[in-house]
Each structure stands twice: as C-alpha cells, then as structure tokens.
Amino acid sequence: MYRITVEQHFDAAHALRGYKGKCENLHGHRFKVLASVETKLLNNIGLAFDFRDLKSALKQILDKYDHTSLNEVSPFDQLNPSSENLARSIYYELANKLQNVKLVSIAVWESPESVAEFFPD
C-alpha cells in the first residue's frame, strides 16, 4: 500500500456560532490542509499518484475559501465553520474529484498546535 500526502494552505476568517469565548468573534487563521490518498498500485512510471494532480485538485477547493470570511461562503453560511466541519466538507468535495485512489483523510490545522482530521468510518 502506498500513501501520498500533500499540503496546501489558505488564509481566512471565521466566527464560531454558539461558542462561548474569544472564538465567537470574527478572527483569522492561516489554515493548513493535508490530503492523504492511498493505492495498492503504481502506474507504468512508478507513481502511486501524481503529487501535482493532488495539489491541483485540493487547491481548486481551497481557492474558494482563501481570503474570505468563511461564515459567508457555502456551506459555512449555514454550517458552523469549525476546523472539523472544514475537514469533512473538503474531504467529500475532494473525494468526488479523485479517481484510481482512495482519499484517506483530510487534516486541517488552524494553528501550529491545533489540528482536526476527518476520515470516514
């Protein structure tokens, strides 16, 4: 089994609805996102999956969040823009773009010390 992981980031603001504390106020982060895929097979040149293709697919998703207030961007205009909800939303959107590999997980850091990771059961 081979696992390929890429990292991208985006800058955005959010306010956590219903949270009691500083995070209920609008504040910003440089969100770091890791996407990991797995496959048992290598292609004819020995690649499990092209890093460039995975980065590109992830970037297409993250570009709509970059330099925004997440609370104003679908689905987070309705869904609380927590790192957990970001990870799940990004996971399903990216999984729909990929072929011949299994998306294993999406991890979203909102700070160097805080990460939320989503992987389906």
Side-chain angles (χ1 to χ4, degrees):
M1 184 68 70
Y2 300 93
R3 181 173 288 176
I4 302 297
T5 301
V6 298
E7 175 182 323
Q8 296 282 308
H9 73 271
F10 67 97
D11 299 300
H14 69 163
L16 297 179
R17 298 175 196 97
Y19 186 85
K20 301 300 180 210
K22 289 183 179 181
C23 292
E24 69 184 329
N25 299 318
L26 187 65
H27 62 285
H29 296 285
R30 168 159 282 191
F31 290 94
K32 180 171 79 170
V33 180
L34 265 63
S36 296
V37 299
E38 284 184 348
T39 184
K40 292 181 181 180
L41 303 174
L42 298 180
N43 68 13
N44 62 338
I45 63 167
L47 301 179
F49 197 79
D50 193 323
F51 287 116
R52 181 185 58 193
D53 293 342
L54 185 54
K55 285 181 185 179
S56 176
L58 180 58
K59 186 177 182 327
Q60 288 175 14
I61 295 166
L62 300 183
D63 277 351
K64 69 181 170 195
Y65 303 133
D66 193 35
H67 285 81
T68 68
S69 173
L70 294 174
N71 296 69
E72 298 173 3
V73 179
S74 180
F76 305 109
D77 53 345
Q78 301 296 315
L79 185 64
N80 215 8
S82 66
S83 290
E84 294 87 345
N85 283 334
L86 273 164
R88 185 180 65 237
S89 181
I90 293 166
Y91 178 95
Y92 286 115
E93 192 168 348
L94 184 58
N96 287 330
K97 291 180 173 283
L98 301 177
Q99 296 177 355
N100 303 322
V101 290
K102 175 187 175 192
L103 182 57
V104 176
S105 66
I106 294 291
V108 175
W109 274 262
E110 63 176 49
S111 77
E113 302 86 20
S114 304
V115 60
E117 186 172 8
F118 178 81
F119 43 94
D121 291 338

